[in-house]
């Protein structure tokens, strides 16, 4: 007597080519979901790093900016934040994004040398910026390697020659592939005199972060306090677009995958009509027939999700070969990404099995046995 599990496996292998093509189609959908998910999580990790760079508690940017790089905070607004009694320090940073040799997203961070010394990165060679030294630069370790320079060398960035005084390491890809330079010089290069991109805030001991953040917004309605990743959409609408694209692709993968599974399972049920009739005649209840069809669909999708996750990992590594991507993020294969892949597979399996299961259950033994 063939076991229930063996019967399901045999059914799946009856039409190997059809089952394989179905698995391949679903796998491609899962691969897309996993790849986009890993890249999205990597971008979110980059945003988290950006949010608390320099050991800040939170940052303040311009309300309603379409992109974070377009945020503008005047030095007067910055000074008003720094003058608050509940703020320990407030460091204004101007982020000038430009193409430097092989890195199209080189981030030059303009900052006052004194502010950089107050919350410095880990210096692996040389020193920090000297006061009033507009021609000095401190390079990230990755940037120094890409440019092939070290402490004491000179490097030309944005048509200006800088003297490399130090090399730092933060562990953050976007920061280690960029540099720190004097704020006035970066303002001159970016043509943003008297402006910074954001103000990084350290709350005074005993003060409430939420209260300070809310107070800054009440003090100046043109500013917004970014205390968490969820707030980032206030200064960068691109983060919302990324999440929307992720959701849309997941929904598309479910729809396409469900159609593929439904086609495979309905053909399988049609080809086994007489067999189903015999099973019903020997005492199989409709519930057991239903369980058989759904289990077959789930097994198809579980195989597909394993293949899809593996393909997703390979595809992500392929995307990371692009320097336009690997210079500012690292993919994150979090549990949420993998669970999303499995979730899509399960939804695809159940959605694709609904109609074939209903058709199989509604067959009477006599109707099924008369089928040619």
């Amino acid at each position: 007597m063939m076991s229930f599990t063996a019967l399901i496996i045999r059914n799946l292998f009856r039409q190997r080519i059809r089952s394989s093509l179905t698995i391949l189609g679903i796998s491609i959908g899962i691969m897309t979901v996993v790849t986009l998910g890993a890249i999205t999580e990597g971008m979110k990790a980059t945003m988290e790093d950006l949010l608390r760079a320099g050991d800040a508690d939170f940052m303040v940017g311009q309300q309603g900016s379409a992109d974070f790089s377009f945020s503008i905070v005047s030095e007067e607004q910055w000074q008003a934040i720094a003058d608050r009694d509940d703020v320990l320090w407030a460091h204004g940073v101007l982020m000038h994004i430009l193409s430097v040799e092989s890195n199209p997203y080189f981030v030059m961070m303009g900052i006052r040398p004194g502010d950089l010394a107050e919350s410095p990165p880990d210096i692996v060679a040389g020193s920090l910026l000297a006061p009033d030294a507009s021609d000095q630069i401190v390079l990230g370790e990755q940037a120094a390697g890409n440019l092939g320079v070290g402490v004491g060398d000179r490097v030309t960035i944005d048509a200006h020659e800088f003297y490399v005084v130090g090399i730092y390491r933060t562990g953050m890809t976007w920061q280690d592939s960029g540099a720190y330079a004097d704020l006035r010089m970066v303002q001159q290069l970016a043509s943003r005199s008297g402006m910074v991109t954001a103000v990084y805030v350290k709350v005074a001991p005993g003060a409430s972060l939420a209260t300070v953040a809310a107070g800054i917004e009440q003090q100046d309605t043109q500013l917004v306090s970014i205390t968490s990743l969820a707030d980032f959409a206030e200064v960068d609408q691109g983060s919302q677009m990324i999440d929307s694209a992720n959701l849309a692709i997941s929904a598309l993968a479910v729809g396409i995958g469900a159609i593929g599974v439904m086609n495979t399972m309905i053909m399988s049920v049609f080809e086994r009509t007489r067999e189903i009739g015999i099973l019903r005649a020997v005492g199989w209840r409709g519930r057991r027939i239903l369980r058989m069809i759904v289990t077959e669909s789930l097994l198809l999708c579980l195989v597909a999700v394993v293949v899809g996750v593996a393909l997703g990992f390979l595809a992500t590594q392929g995307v990371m070969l692009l320097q336009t991507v690997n210079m500012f993020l690292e993919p994150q294969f979090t549990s949420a990404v993998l669970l999303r892949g499995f979730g899509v597979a399960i939804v695809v399996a159940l959605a694709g099995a609904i109609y074939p299961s209903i058709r199989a259950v509604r067959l009477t033994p006599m109707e099924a046995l008369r089928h040619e």
Side-chain angles (χ1 to χ4, degrees):
M1 181 74 177
M2 183 177 293
S3 69
F4 184 71
T5 303
L7 177 62
I8 291 172
I9 294 174
R10 190 199 69 174
N11 290 338
L12 290 177
F13 278 94
R14 279 183 173 181
Q15 294 291 339
R16 295 184 181 182
I17 294 178
R18 186 166 63 206
S19 295
S20 298
L21 290 175
T22 302
I23 289 172
L24 178 61
I26 300 170
S27 297
I28 292 173
I30 300 295
M31 176 193 71
T32 306
V33 170
V34 170
T35 301
L36 183 60
I39 292 174
T40 300
E41 291 299 316
M43 294 188 71
K44 288 181 178 180
T46 298
M47 291 177 184
E48 286 277 11
D49 294 340
L50 180 63
L51 178 60
R52 293 183 173 82
D55 195 36
D57 290 321
F58 65 94
M59 72 177 184
V60 178
Q62 181 185 12
Q63 174 77 44
S65 297
D67 185 272
F68 178 70
S69 62
F70 298 152
S71 172
I72 295 175
V73 179
S74 70
E75 291 188 359
E76 290 75 17
Q77 291 173 310
W78 168 18
Q79 188 60 50
I81 296 171
D83 289 341
R84 292 179 60 94
D85 293 333
D86 50 9
V87 170
L88 180 62
W89 52 252
H91 297 163
V93 177
L94 177 61
M95 297 186 181
H96 183 36
I97 302 174
L98 62 159
S99 178
V100 177
E101 293 196 4
S102 62
N103 184 1
Y105 297 108
F106 185 94
V107 182
M108 177 176 276
M109 293 164 282
I111 188 170
R112 292 173 180 169
D115 290 347
L116 182 61
E118 194 169 12
S119 56
D122 181 23
I123 297 296
V124 297
S127 61
L128 294 172
L129 300 172
D132 303 320
S134 61
D135 63 339
Q136 291 185 355
I137 194 169
V138 181
L139 288 172
E141 190 174 43
Q142 190 172 344
N146 292 337
L147 295 172
V149 297
V151 175
D153 293 333
R154 292 190 175 274
V155 60
T156 301
I157 296 176
D158 206 6
H160 186 86
E161 189 176 68
F162 290 93
Y163 178 69
V164 181
V165 296
I167 297 174
Y168 66 85
R169 180 196 301 125
T170 65
M172 305 174 194
T173 302
W174 69 272
Q175 209 168 347
D176 288 348
S177 60
Y180 283 104
D182 180 74
L183 176 60
R184 298 301 175 204
M185 173 53 67
V186 178
Q187 286 175 332
Q188 180 182 330
L189 294 176
S191 299
R192 287 194 174 185
S193 178
M195 302 175 190
V196 294
T197 305
V199 178
Y200 285 89
V201 178
K202 188 72 173 179
V203 174
S208 166
L209 188 153
T211 302
V212 176
I216 291 172
E217 291 182 346
Q218 291 173 359
Q219 178 178 297
D220 191 330
T221 56
Q222 293 182 336
L223 302 178
V224 59
S225 298
I226 313 299
T227 61
S228 67
L229 190 59
D231 297 331
F232 217 96
E234 297 292 334
V235 295
D236 195 328
Q237 297 176 17
S239 59
Q240 289 181 317
M241 294 175 62
I242 292 169
D243 287 333
S244 298
N246 203 353
L247 180 62
I249 288 178
S250 296
L252 188 62
V254 168
I256 295 174
I259 292 173
V261 171
M262 186 181 299
N263 177 67
T264 297
M265 298 312 298
I266 195 66
M267 289 299 295
S268 177
V269 169
F270 182 79
E271 291 168 355
R272 290 183 288 152
T273 299
R274 286 179 63 83
E275 180 182 315
I276 291 172
I278 293 171
L279 293 174
R280 295 296 302 276
V282 298
W284 276 42
R285 295 181 177 275
R287 186 181 304 171
R288 196 174 189 192
I289 298 291
L290 176 67
R291 185 153 58 95
M292 179 180 69
I293 302 298
V294 171
T295 303
E296 289 175 16
S297 180
L298 282 171
L299 282 177
L300 265 179
C301 291
L302 286 177
V303 173
V305 79
V306 172
V307 176
V309 168
L311 291 176
F313 178 80
L314 293 175
T316 304
Q317 299 308 308
V319 171
M320 293 308 296
L321 294 176
L322 300 174
Q323 289 189 325
T324 53
V325 178
N326 65 26
M327 287 297 182
F328 69 92
L329 69 83
E330 292 181 4
Q332 303 284 322
F333 288 94
T334 63
S335 57
V337 171
L338 299 179
L339 286 174
R340 189 180 300 125
F342 276 98
V344 168
I346 291 172
V347 172
V348 164
L350 295 178
I354 290 174
Y355 177 69
S357 299
I358 292 174
R359 187 181 188 283
V361 169
R362 284 182 174 178
L363 285 172
T364 63
M366 290 301 297
E367 180 186 0
L369 288 172
R370 286 199 302 267
H371 179 80
E372 293 296 334

